[in-house]
């Protein structure tokens, strides 16, 4: 198997594009693809600076490296979720990545915001699934740090993540989620702009990019991700992709063409009485959780 670009020994076959690529050409291909995604969806304006949310995994660290290579000003942002050994091991990967490349990394610890409690303890105390709490806390902290620093927030969601989320949202016709499933969410008062520059890159391409770039990322999955429906949907989409290469990309891109039919008026928001960030009630979920802990777990949620 030879690389279609340079004729060297190929490392990967990308069936969706009928393309074999060697190590070097795969890196160039991925860089070009991310650049094209940024241009196609107008993800960034000139002089925008990007806060890259990194988890220590292959997608977010690769995204950080690619944006840097494209000459975009970046800073990494890692949230330590306080999940047993997993959080410390993934933080180490993010720290090592930043140190090796001389990049700036901002770290927030969930335990510092919630009286020493991490996601597992918060989940037990609040009787809510860890991932639902974790998602809320991550969204709040990422937005706060990005908004206050004037950054565009970038996350490493790849094509497989987006196609799986789309499948889940379509199965239940979750119109609210469908209306917001875009490569870019514009910023507005209280909200930083959010972009997903890897939406056209598959999970397999990103794994190959990370390995061929020598990125040391965490292979271990979060212990709470086991049995997640998104993993099941990814498996189904992979079966489809095997039978009909390019299906994931078509599914996602064709959705983007019609997504405006799901657009709804944004719900009425008001400022949280405690932190001032916009929310649907008087107290945002983040502050509600904080006050519940302060009151010893008795505040209504
Ligand atoms: S939501 Fe759930 Fe993830 Fe948070 S608790 Fe782990 S699996 S890290 S993307
Ligand atoms: Zn608040």
């Amino acid at each position: 198997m030879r690389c279609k670009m340079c004729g060297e020994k190929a490392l990967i076959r990308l069936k969706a594009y009928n393309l074999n690529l060697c190590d070097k050409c795969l890196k160039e291909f991925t860089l070009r693809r991310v650049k094209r995604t940024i241009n196609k969806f107008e993800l960034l304006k000139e002089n925008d600076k990007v806060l890259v949310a990194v988890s220590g995994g292959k997608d977010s660290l690769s995204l950080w490296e690619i944006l840097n290579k494209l000459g975009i000003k970046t800073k990494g942002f890692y949230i330590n979720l306080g999940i047993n050994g997993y959080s410390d091991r993934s933080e180490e990967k993010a720290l090592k990545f930043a140190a090796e490349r001389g990049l700036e990394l901002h770290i927030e610890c969930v335990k510092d915001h919630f009286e020493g409690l991490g996601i597992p303890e918060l989940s037990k105390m609040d009787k809510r699934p860890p991932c639902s709490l974790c998602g809320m806390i991550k969204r709040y902290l990422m937005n706060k740090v990005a908004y206050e620093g004037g950054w565009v927030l970038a996350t490493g969601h790849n094509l497989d993540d987006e196609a799986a989320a789309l499948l889940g949202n379509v199965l239940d016709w979750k119109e609210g989620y469908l209306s917001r499933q875009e490569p870019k969410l514009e910023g507005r008062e209280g909200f930083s702009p959010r972009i997903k520059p890897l939406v056209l890159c598959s999970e397999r391409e990103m794994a190959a990019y990370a390995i061929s770039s020598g990125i040391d990322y965490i292979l271990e999955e979060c212990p709470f991700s086991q049995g997640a429906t998104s993993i099941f949907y990814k498996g189904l989409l992979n079966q489809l992709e095997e039978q009909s290469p390019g299906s994931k990309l078509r599914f996602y891109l064709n959705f983007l063409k019609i997504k405006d039919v799901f657009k709804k008026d944004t719900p009425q928001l008001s400022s949280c009485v405690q932190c001032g960030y916009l929310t649907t009630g008087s107290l945002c979920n983040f502050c509600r959780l904080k006050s519940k802990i302060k009151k010893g777990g008795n505040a209504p949620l």
Side-chain angles (χ1 to χ4, degrees), residues 81 83 131 134 138 222 224-225:
L81 302 167
I83 301 175
C131 293
C134 177
K138 282 196 292 195
C222 169
F224 295 114
S225 69

